Amino acid sequence: MAPALSRSLGASSVAALRPTPSRGRGPTLRSAVAVQGRGAAAVAARGVRWEAGRRKGKGRMVGVRCEAAVTEKPAGEEEAAGEQFEYQAEVSRLLDLIVHSLYSHKEVFLRELVSNASDALDKLRFLSVTDSSVLSDGGELEIRIKPDPEAGTITITDTGIGMTKDELKDCLGTIAQSGTSKFLKALKENKDLGADNGLIGQFGVGFYSAFLVAEKVVVSTKSPKADKQYVWEAMADSSSYVIKEETDPEKMLTRGTQITLFLRDDDKYEFADPGRIQGLVKNYSQFVSFPIYTWQEKSRTVEVEEEEEEEPKEGEEATEGEKKKKKKTITEKYWDWELANETKPIWMRNPKEVEKTEYNEFYKKAFNEFLDPLAYTHFTTEGEVEFRSVLYIPGMAPLSNEEIMNPKTKNIRLYVKRVFISDDFDGELFPRYLSFVKGVVDSNDLPLNVSREILQESRIVRIMRKRLVRKTFDMIQEIAEKEDKEDYKKFWESFGKFVKLGCIEDTGNHKRLAPLLRFYSSKNETDLISLDQYVENMPENQKAIYYIATDSLQSAKTAPFLEKLVQKDIEVLYLIEPIDEVAIQNLQTYKEKKFVDISKEDLELGDEDEDKENESKQEYTLLCDWIKQQLGDKVAKVQISKRLSSSPCVLVSGKFGWSANMERLMKAQTLGDTSSLEFMRGRRIFEINPDHPIVKDLSAACKNEPESTEAKRAVELLYETALISSGYTPDSPAELGGKIYEMMTIALGGRWGRPEESEAATSESNVEVESSEGSATEVVEPSEVRPESDPWKD
């Protein structure tokens, strides 16, 4: 794109290439070229004259003769003699590079030409401040675009400043020379007019984008400064152009410029379509400050009169020529001008003067939404980067799963001087977790490349991103602080996952993200609470924020890990969404309080009785060793639990390994690495409750009959039951079911007695089976059994 052009022209930058008449030598191109000197002496180029000559067999080439002034050297130093050479450049190749290497999409030609028309209107408006005669020709300041599908043309007409013959040579005949840049320079010199303007052009190559779709371009222009109207014509593959005086009275303009594009055969069907042109104008030039009209087909209902013959009544003779007129409504199609940019750029106004209904209406029109936004913010940023912006939080989450967490949602539209530049930033202006935010950003001095498609300076982008993100957080925080909590409830239901994703991806904004989080807890099972509310409700001696991660609210309520904490009135957060645990682990702390997972080992509640703990450990050391011996490598160790009050046992995960919830999530990953499961799963600790009857019975069995088969089976069943209650998945659910059925049979067998009839029926059935085994059964071969209708029967 732009680099390709730079390399093709060498180290020097082309400031202007302008064909001028030359006697007997064809067109001549002038350019100001910056020449870099070597050594201590720098060569300053005053002017470079590009001379074109025709060479046999090589097409049209351009020779360049440099005429430069060299800085004076100290006296006595001999000036080194040098031979001058001429640069060579092929005009047609240069134009080809500009047209085909700068722009990614053909459709931007309309954006560039409309921007040029807008600049022409702006110039006229500025000049009219000091010279009102330029407006004497009359006519509104407007732009009209008329596509002709049959002729394959597009005509763009503006009532702007127009051009004289010399200006045609300077502006259209000189490549990379911006008339707008010259005009801006003149404005800055004239302090009375001021430098605040909305002029768009700066590179001087936008006009040539017309050759992206056109094989021929005709420009007809009339300036208030000239009495004559001139026509500029050029072909796409030619290195020359023609300027002539307009003599056709039907094509005369009062003021302004008319550009006619003769489309290529491949582009006629797309860009000569009125609907396509209307869509491009709405996309790229919707907020241009001058009205843009497009030629569109419309329909209307009209009443017409039709003559009908009357049927004669009974007894009357039919007479010829008697007809009755009847009115009929029909739909009639016609062509007319339609305003394409009726939506005004609301961000250019003072926020104090804009009503809420106007913001909502703009949001619905600009982003094709049907619900009002939850919130909006309108601000202007000044300083190193100046831009205006309006940001919105949508009223609901995206309906399509593809738009969730997608950095290329195209929700942020970047404008430069109200002209649309791009909406595809791949997370450059907004992080992925804020991709749901919609809005517009408009700046007058963004560092764009020549095609106006790429932001070139990453530092500028980083500053813009930082300020946009900060304003977004302020907007969300305002919703959270409202007295009416329903708005934030709607926001959290729609975009809560996005905020949690931000805790994972954006460590620099943890202080802004953490207060926005909401969770259920053991004390608030129906209403969501914030981390601030949790910290406010904490007892003075509580040093951590406790949480448990499960797959549902119900499983969190009934988890055995909660028993002792609920008994001590300690609040526990319920993390019931898959992303919750990872988000909390990335936060690590909140207001100097650590997050602690109550399903992991080394849980400290702060009020333990050390003497009682030591007594329990000594009393049940033998039991813990015996259970560890029975379970083997299934658990890392067996210990007395600090978190149980009613359950006999629980299985906790290691301090640095996955929790049961995380292990479940990782197993469910489609592209998960099974080899890492064993490594990251960590160790499992089997904790027992010394106050539970089952544990006391097992302690007695360990001391009195350690080799008991029933006791060993009870330990196995206790472990596998703890797997399920702790959130793990047993290796063999069917085997566990068989053990449970077996235990139920032992527990229930003969407790209530069995009915005698069922026992008798069982004995009789056994007798019949035995007698049937003793009797002989006649076996009939299948081949001997033939139905009467057998076709193969003899």
Side-chain angles (χ1 to χ4, degrees):
M1 296 172 66
L5 176 59
S6 300
R7 289 194 297 270
S8 67
L9 295 177
S12 301
S13 60
V14 180
L17 299 175
R18 182 180 63 204
T20 58
S22 179
R23 295 182 180 178
R25 300 187 61 182
T28 304
L29 304 175
R30 291 183 181 175
S31 173
V33 180
V35 181
Q36 294 182 350
R38 296 184 179 181
V43 180
R46 290 182 178 176
V48 180
R49 184 175 182 84
W50 296 65
E51 297 183 355
R54 183 177 303 275
R55 294 187 179 181
K56 295 182 180 180
K58 293 186 178 180
R60 194 171 189 81
M61 303 296 294
V62 178
V64 182
R65 184 172 66 250
C66 299
E67 298 173 359
V70 183
T71 56
E72 294 183 1
K73 294 185 178 182
E77 185 177 348
E78 294 183 1
E79 184 174 351
E83 184 179 357
Q84 289 188 347
F85 295 91
E86 295 183 347
Y87 290 104
Q88 301 293 325
E90 187 176 350
V91 175
S92 59
R93 176 60 178 156
L94 180 60
L95 283 173
D96 183 72
L97 286 172
I98 291 175
V99 172
H100 296 103
S101 300
L102 293 183
Y103 302 99
S104 302
H105 306 286
K106 287 185 176 182
E107 63 187 29
V108 298
F109 81 93
L110 193 62
R111 178 193 72 186
E112 298 295 326
L113 296 180
V114 170
S115 298
N116 289 347
S118 175
D119 281 351
L121 293 166
D122 260 325
K123 291 174 188 177
L124 182 70
R125 183 166 55 85
F126 278 113
L127 293 177
S128 66
V129 176
T130 55
D131 185 6
S132 59
S133 63
V134 295
L135 295 175
S136 60
D137 293 338
E140 298 291 333
L141 300 180
E142 62 185 17
I143 303 169
R144 293 184 181 267
I145 306 173
K146 186 175 183 179
D148 189 343
E150 296 181 359
T153 62
I154 302 175
T155 303
I156 303 170
T157 307
D158 68 74
T159 56
I161 190 62
M163 289 176 281
T164 63
K165 185 176 181 179
D166 291 336
E167 288 171 342
L168 276 175
K169 297 176 187 178
D170 288 339
C171 297
L172 303 188
T174 306
I175 302 172
Q177 177 168 298
S178 173
T180 299
S181 297
K182 285 186 175 181
F183 188 79
L184 286 174
K185 187 177 180 180
L187 278 182
K188 290 178 181 178
E189 293 174 357
N190 189 342
K191 297 181 181 180
D192 295 335
L193 293 177
D196 187 13
N197 61 83
L199 294 171
I200 301 164
Q202 54 181 319
F203 298 110
V205 296
F207 168 77
Y208 305 102
S209 65
F211 292 109
L212 284 168
V213 296
E215 59 185 6
K216 178 183 176 183
V217 178
V218 177
V219 180
S220 183
T221 181
K222 173 69 169 63
S223 171
K225 303 175 186 177
D227 298 331
K228 297 180 181 180
Q229 180 174 326
Y230 295 95
V231 179
W232 183 96
E233 291 185 12
M235 302 297 293
D237 300 326
S238 175
S239 59
S240 61
Y241 58 87
V242 176
I243 297 178
K244 61 182 179 181
E245 184 180 340
E246 182 63 76
T247 56
D248 189 349
E250 296 182 357
K251 297 181 179 180
M252 288 296 177
L253 302 172
T254 56
R255 182 189 66 233
T257 302
Q258 184 177 84
I259 302 175
T260 304
L261 309 182
F262 294 85
L263 300 176
R264 303 174 189 268
D265 293 336
D266 296 340
D267 300 314
K268 284 182 180 179
Y269 299 103
E270 180 180 1
F271 295 109
D273 178 30
R276 175 71 165 143
I277 295 297
Q278 180 89 340
L280 291 177
V281 172
K282 286 184 176 294
N283 186 42
Y284 287 105
S285 308
Q286 186 177 16
F287 302 109
V288 169
S289 55
F290 299 99
I292 304 174
Y293 296 93
T294 58
W295 190 248
Q296 298 292 322
E297 185 180 28
K298 300 181 179 181
S299 60
R300 59 190 173 192
T301 56
V302 295
E303 289 186 351
V304 296
E305 293 183 350
E306 290 185 350
E307 295 182 351
E308 294 183 352
E309 294 184 1
E310 288 189 3
E311 296 182 0
K313 298 180 181 179
E314 294 183 2
E316 294 183 0
E317 294 182 0
T319 58
E320 295 182 0
E322 290 186 3
K323 295 182 179 180
K324 182 180 179 182
K325 292 184 178 180
K326 183 180 180 182
K327 289 186 178 181
K328 184 180 179 181
T329 303
I330 62 171
T331 302
E332 179 185 62
K333 291 186 177 181
Y334 68 102
W335 290 85
D336 198 2
W337 293 105
E338 181 178 325
L339 183 63
N341 59 335
E342 58 185 350
T343 305
K344 301 302 178 185
I346 199 171
W347 63 85
M348 301 299 294
R349 298 167 58 185
N350 188 337
K352 296 180 181 179
E353 300 174 356
V354 186
E355 300 292 335
K356 181 179 179 180
T357 54
E358 293 180 87
Y359 283 114
N360 293 347
E361 193 66 26
F362 175 81
Y363 168 75
K364 292 177 181 178
K365 286 185 177 180
F367 298 101
N368 295 323
E369 291 285 346
F370 60 93
L371 292 177
D372 289 339
L374 282 176
Y376 61 86
T377 180
H378 182 185
F379 60 94
T380 301
T381 300
E382 297 179 351
E384 192 170 1
V385 182
E386 296 184 5
F387 64 90
R388 298 169 180 265
S389 180
V390 178
L391 301 178
Y392 294 92
I393 293 179
M396 62 180 294
L399 298 176
S400 173
N401 291 331
E402 296 179 357
E403 296 183 18
I404 299 177
M405 311 301 179
N406 183 6
K408 295 186 177 182
T409 50
K410 300 185 177 182
N411 286 335
I412 299 298
R413 299 171 63 87
L414 177 65
Y415 292 82
V416 172
K417 300 180 180 178
R418 302 177 308 281
V419 176
F420 174 70
I421 299 301
S422 179
D423 56 7
D424 186 6
F425 298 106
D426 196 15
E428 291 178 348
L429 283 181
F430 265 91
R432 184 166 69 124
Y433 66 91
L434 291 178
S435 60
F436 63 90
V437 178
K438 299 185 177 184
V440 295
V441 179
D442 191 350
S443 177
N444 289 347
D445 54 359
L446 281 183
L448 300 173
N449 68 344
V450 181
S451 64
R452 300 177 181 270
E453 296 171 358
I454 303 171
L455 289 170
Q456 290 185 312
E457 293 188 24
S458 57
R459 183 179 60 86
I460 299 296
V461 177
R462 286 197 300 269
I463 294 172
M464 291 182 64
R465 174 190 172 112
K466 185 177 180 180
R467 293 178 182 175
L468 289 171
V469 170
R470 187 179 63 207
K471 286 293 184 179
T472 302
F473 281 132
D474 293 343
M475 180 169 48
I476 298 174
Q477 190 63 40
E478 287 179 7
I479 305 176
E481 293 174 356
K482 283 184 179 179
E483 294 183 2
D484 184 7
K485 300 300 180 183
E486 286 299 317
D487 285 346
Y488 195 77
K489 187 176 180 181
K490 291 179 184 177
F491 168 81
W492 189 253
E493 289 175 355
S494 299
F495 309 110
K497 293 183 179 68
F498 291 79
V499 177
K500 294 171 185 175
L501 179 66
C503 296
I504 301 170
E505 295 186 342
D506 193 355
T507 56
N509 281 310
H510 277 177
K511 290 184 179 180
R512 291 189 176 97
L513 286 162
L516 303 177
L517 297 174
R518 297 292 185 271
F519 300 101
Y520 293 104
S521 72
S522 56
K523 292 184 179 180
N524 293 274
E525 297 179 352
T526 56
D527 296 326
L528 294 165
I529 66 165
S530 65
L531 294 179
D532 287 327
Q533 291 174 290
Y534 181 96
V535 173
E536 288 176 4
N537 297 333
M538 286 172 53
E540 294 182 1
N541 60 344
Q542 185 177 336
K543 299 179 181 179
I545 300 175
Y546 298 104
Y547 70 88
I548 181 172
T550 61
D551 59 344
S552 67
L553 186 61
Q554 184 61 33
S555 61
K557 294 177 185 177
T558 56
F561 306 101
L562 286 170
E563 293 173 357
K564 188 70 76 172
L565 286 93
V566 172
Q567 189 176 8
K568 292 184 176 183
D569 198 32
I570 297 176
E571 190 171 14
V572 180
L573 296 176
Y574 294 157
L575 312 186
I576 58 176
E577 292 186 351
I579 196 174
D580 288 353
E581 186 175 1
V582 185
I584 289 296
Q585 288 175 352
N586 277 270
L587 284 179
Q588 296 182 354
T589 61
Y590 182 72
K591 291 187 176 179
E592 300 181 355
K593 304 287 184 181
K594 288 186 177 180
F595 289 98
V596 175
D597 187 351
I598 64 172
S599 68
K600 292 193 173 184
E601 65 174 327
D602 297 338
L603 178 66
E604 300 292 340
L605 299 180
D607 57 349
E608 290 83 1
D609 189 346
E610 294 183 1
D611 295 334
K612 187 177 180 179
E613 285 182 10
N614 293 331
E615 290 179 5
S616 298
K617 286 181 180 179
Q618 292 177 359
E619 182 180 355
Y620 288 94
T621 300
L622 182 61
L623 175 62
C624 292
D625 294 340
W626 181 71
I627 293 176
K628 176 65 175 74
Q629 184 181 2
Q630 305 306 318
L631 297 179
D633 295 335
K634 293 180 180 178
V635 296
K637 64 179 179 180
V638 181
Q639 63 185 23
I640 302 300
S641 178
K642 301 177 183 178
R643 68 194 90 208
L644 298 177
S645 61
S646 58
S647 298
C649 59
V650 72
L651 201 63
V652 300
S653 57
K655 191 173 184 180
F656 301 105
W658 283 339
S659 65
N661 181 65
M662 186 58 65
E663 186 176 326
R664 174 182 60 83
L665 293 175
M666 296 308 296
K667 282 183 178 180
Q669 297 297 314
T670 306
L671 302 176
D673 185 7
T674 55
S675 62
S676 65
L677 289 176
E678 290 297 325
F679 175 75
M680 290 300 299
R681 185 174 66 178
R683 58 180 191 165
R684 297 173 180 176
I685 295 94
F686 190 64
E687 293 188 355
I688 56 176
N689 180 9
D691 299 327
H692 199 277
I694 294 179
V695 176
K696 290 181 178 180
D697 290 342
L698 288 177
S699 179
C702 168
K703 295 176 181 177
N704 301 327
E705 196 174 349
E707 300 299 326
S708 171
T709 305
E710 292 183 358
K712 292 180 180 180
R713 289 167 61 188
V715 170
E716 287 287 340
L717 184 60
L718 199 65
Y719 166 76
E720 294 184 2
T721 306
L723 271 177
I724 297 176
S725 63
S726 302
Y728 294 99
T729 304
D731 296 332
S732 177
E735 186 178 346
L736 173 61
K739 292 178 181 179
I740 295 175
Y741 298 148
E742 186 178 353
M743 295 293 288
M744 291 178 66
T745 303
I746 295 172
L748 300 178
R751 172 174 292 188
W752 299 286
R754 294 179 180 171
E756 297 180 358
E757 295 180 0
S758 61
E759 292 180 0
T762 304
S763 61
E764 289 178 2
S765 61
N766 294 335
V767 173
E768 290 179 0
V769 171
E770 292 176 359
S771 61
S772 62
E773 291 177 355
S775 59
T777 304
E778 182 180 0
V779 178
V780 180
E781 294 294 335
S783 60
E784 296 182 3
V785 181
R786 295 182 177 181
E788 294 181 358
S789 60
D790 188 358
W792 300 98
K793 187 175 182 181
D794 295 336

